[in-house]
Amino acid sequence: MDKVITEDIGAFSQHYPRVATIVTAQAGGRDNAMAVAWHTCISFKPPLYGISIAAKRFTYQLIADSKEFGVNFLPFAEAELVASVGGSGGYEVDKFHRFNIARDKPVKTAVPILKAAYAAYECKLVDDKLYGDHRWLVGEIVAVHLLREAFTPEETLDLEKVSPLLYLGHELYLTASKDTRYLDREVYGKQ
Ligand SMILES: Cc1cc2nc3c(=O)[nH]c(=O)nc-3n(C[C@H](O)[C@H](O)[C@H](O)COP(=O)(O)O)c2cc1C
C-alpha cells in the first residue's frame, strides 16, 4: 500500500492510541477534574510527569494557583466518566457533585484522587511553559496510589485484572487486547 506524504499535518494527535486520564486539581475551595490524553513520564529520578493543558481550562487555573495536580488512570469501564469530565467545564459546573465522583484522600497534596483509579499520582508543579496552544506542565510525583491487585509483582499492569482506557480521538474509546509478548531486550539487542 502506498503512503501519502503531506505537509497538510492534519489531526496528527489521532494517529496513535493514547491513554485517557483524568487530571484533578483544587484551589481556593474549588476542585475539578478534566480528561487529558496528552501526557507522559519524563524522568525516573526525580520522578517527573508531564501533561499538556490549554490555558483556558478551569483545571489550568487551579493548577497555576495551587502548584499541584493529580493524574488518575482509569479502567475502560470508566470511559463515560472521562467523556463527562472532558465534555463539561469547571467554570460552569461542580463536576465532582454533578457526576457523583468518589474520591480517596491525598497524602502529600490537596488534589482530589479518584477512587475508581487503578493508579494515581499526586504531583507538585515544577515547570509550566507555553508551547503553541497548550501549556506543558511538569510535575514531580510525590505520592502514588496503586490498586496493588491490578499489578504484577514487577509492577506492570495485569491485563487479566484491569482493562486500561485508551482513546483514539474523535470521541472513540477502546481498551487493549490481552495478547502480550515477552521480548527480553538483552536477548533481542544481541541478535
Ligand atoms: C478523551 C479526552 C481527552 C482530552 N485531552 C485533553 C488534553 O490532553 N489537554 C487538554 O487541554 N484538553 C483535553 N481534553 C479537553 C478537556 O478535558 C475539556 O476541555 C474539559 O472540559 C476541560 O475542563 P475544565 O475547563 O473544567 O478544566 C480532552 C477531552 C477528552 C474527551
Side-chain angles (χ1 to χ4, degrees):
M1 274 199 290
D2 284 344
K3 290 183 189 167
V4 175
I5 301 169
T6 172
E7 287 173 21
D8 172 14
I9 305 306
F12 69 94
S13 76
Q14 301 188 167
H15 292 169
Y16 55 92
R18 283 143 288 139
V19 173
T21 68
I22 292 182
V23 165
T24 47
Q26 67 73 42
R30 275 297 319 268
D31 47 24
N32 197 45
M34 71 175 272
V36 167
W38 294 5
H39 57 90
T40 186
C41 304
I42 301 175
S43 158
F44 287 124
K45 278 187 188 168
L48 299 178
Y49 208 84
I51 60 174
S52 180
I53 289 193
K56 63 184 175 200
R57 313 291 187 225
F58 181 53
T59 308
Y60 174 70
Q61 207 46 66
L62 296 181
I63 298 171
D65 289 351
S66 66
K67 310 277 187 270
E68 296 177 346
F69 62 88
V71 186
N72 298 265
F73 296 86
L74 297 142
F76 184 57
E78 298 292 336
E80 287 177 15
L81 179 61
V82 172
S84 298
V85 300
S88 53
Y91 281 115
E92 294 89 41
V93 56
D94 177 345
K95 300 189 205 183
F96 276 87
H97 183 69
R98 175 180 290 182
F99 304 120
N100 203 14
I101 305 174
R103 18 163 136 217
D104 285 331
K105 273 203 169 58
V107 291
K108 287 286 174 81
T109 65
V111 298
I113 295 297
L114 303 198
K115 204 174 253 320
Y118 59 82
Y121 308 149
E122 293 180 43
C123 299
K124 297 248 192 211
L125 188 69
V126 296
D127 201 15
D128 173 359
K129 284 207 175 81
L130 181 66
Y131 289 97
D133 51 18
H134 278 58
R135 299 197 73 91
W136 182 239
L137 308 187
V138 178
E140 176 162 357
I141 302 173
V142 291
V144 171
H145 299 240
L146 273 192
L147 182 63
R148 273 277 166 220
E149 66 197 51
F151 290 85
T152 67
E154 294 78 35
E155 220 171 302
T156 61
L157 196 59
D158 184 342
L159 295 178
E160 296 300 332
K161 305 274 174 55
V162 169
S163 301
L165 177 58
L166 309 179
Y167 183 62
L168 279 184
H170 220 71
E171 321 305 339
L172 284 174
Y173 297 84
L174 72 158
T175 191
S177 147
K178 289 190 173 50
D179 297 338
T180 55
R181 291 178 71 193
Y182 178 76
L183 303 173
D184 186 338
R185 68 180 77 177
E186 294 297 329
V187 174
Y188 276 78
K190 289 194 181 87
Q191 274 181 345

